[in-house]
Amino acid sequence: MKTFSRLFNRHILLAAVVGLAALTATAQDLRIGAVNIERILREANLAKASQAKLEQEFSRREKEVQGMATQLKTASEKFEREAPTLPEAQRVTRQRQLIEQDREFQRKQREFQEDLNLRKNEELQIVVDRANRVIKQVAETEKYDFVIQEAVYINPKHDITDKVLSGLNASK
């Protein structure tokens, strides 16, 4: 049994060495590209246009929510100052009004944030889809075997981000 196990392990080791040698020979011909997608999302004209579009689309609602926050803060400070001198019934009524005003503010703020996040994701997807098409075009044109979008380290000689940005900014 030990002989079979040793023989089996030797065959596995031999197969691994032969496979590694074949992979090394193939890797010399392998053409790899890498793209910094975060940089594309920051620097591409399409990404900048999407950001401007979102700011324009949501600026009015953002100001509205900020205005509600200011009103709530002002009303709360006023209540804190006047509460000790108010009759019990009036104090309770104003406290309830403040609580209701805060609930309304929280609801509006949550709706605003959810809508903004949804639209950001939609716009982001448009940019990513278009970037992926350009990445594929660059890879096919320059005969890359594969392109990596996320890596801990990218050797500058493999970085094709500038080419993708150029292609993305040139396309409409």
Side-chain angles (χ1 to χ4, degrees):
M1 187 68 164
K2 286 183 182 180
T3 308
F4 178 73
S5 177
R6 283 187 199 149
L7 186 60
F8 184 71
N9 285 340
R10 283 186 185 159
H11 283 357
I12 295 270
L13 182 60
L14 181 62
V17 169
V18 169
L20 185 58
L23 184 60
T24 303
T26 306
Q28 292 173 354
D29 300 332
L30 196 62
R31 186 138 178 199
I32 301 169
V35 176
N36 183 335
I37 198 72
E38 289 179 25
R39 187 169 154 222
I40 288 174
L41 294 175
R42 238 186 3 258
E43 297 177 15
N45 292 340
L46 181 61
K48 291 176 184 178
S50 291
Q51 182 64 33
K53 183 178 175 183
L54 287 171
E55 287 173 8
Q56 180 184 12
E57 187 176 327
F58 284 91
S59 65
R60 182 188 56 79
R61 284 182 62 191
E62 183 178 23
K63 287 177 185 173
E64 182 182 313
V65 170
Q66 287 173 347
M68 287 180 76
T70 303
Q71 287 176 342
L72 182 61
K73 183 180 178 192
T74 303
S76 181
E77 289 171 352
K78 182 178 178 186
F79 175 73
E80 291 295 323
R81 281 192 314 270
E82 297 174 354
T85 61
L86 291 174
E88 182 68 21
Q90 195 175 7
R91 187 175 55 77
V92 169
T93 302
R94 285 191 47 196
Q95 194 172 22
R96 285 183 184 147
Q97 288 171 342
L98 277 174
I99 291 170
E100 186 57 37
Q101 190 176 0
D102 183 55
R103 280 187 192 134
E104 181 67 16
F105 166 70
Q106 296 293 334
R107 184 183 64 77
K108 285 272 192 186
Q109 187 177 36
R110 187 175 47 253
E111 287 176 356
F112 169 76
Q113 201 60 50
E114 288 171 357
D115 291 347
L116 178 61
N117 288 340
L118 182 66
R119 284 289 294 124
K120 274 184 181 178
N121 289 337
E122 289 171 355
E123 291 294 324
L124 177 69
Q125 192 60 50
I126 291 169
V127 175
V128 168
D129 287 346
R130 190 142 327 142
N132 283 338
R133 283 196 300 270
V134 172
I135 290 168
K136 186 177 178 186
Q137 288 172 350
V138 169
E140 289 171 350
T141 302
E142 299 194 13
K143 298 185 178 23
Y144 283 95
D145 294 306
F146 65 93
V147 176
I148 301 168
Q149 284 190 0
E150 286 192 36
V152 174
Y153 171 75
I154 299 172
N155 186 322
K157 73 179 183 179
H158 296 293
D159 190 352
I160 61 170
T161 305
D162 288 333
K163 294 174 186 176
V164 173
L165 275 170
S166 295
L168 191 57
N169 289 339
S171 69
K172 295 294 175 189

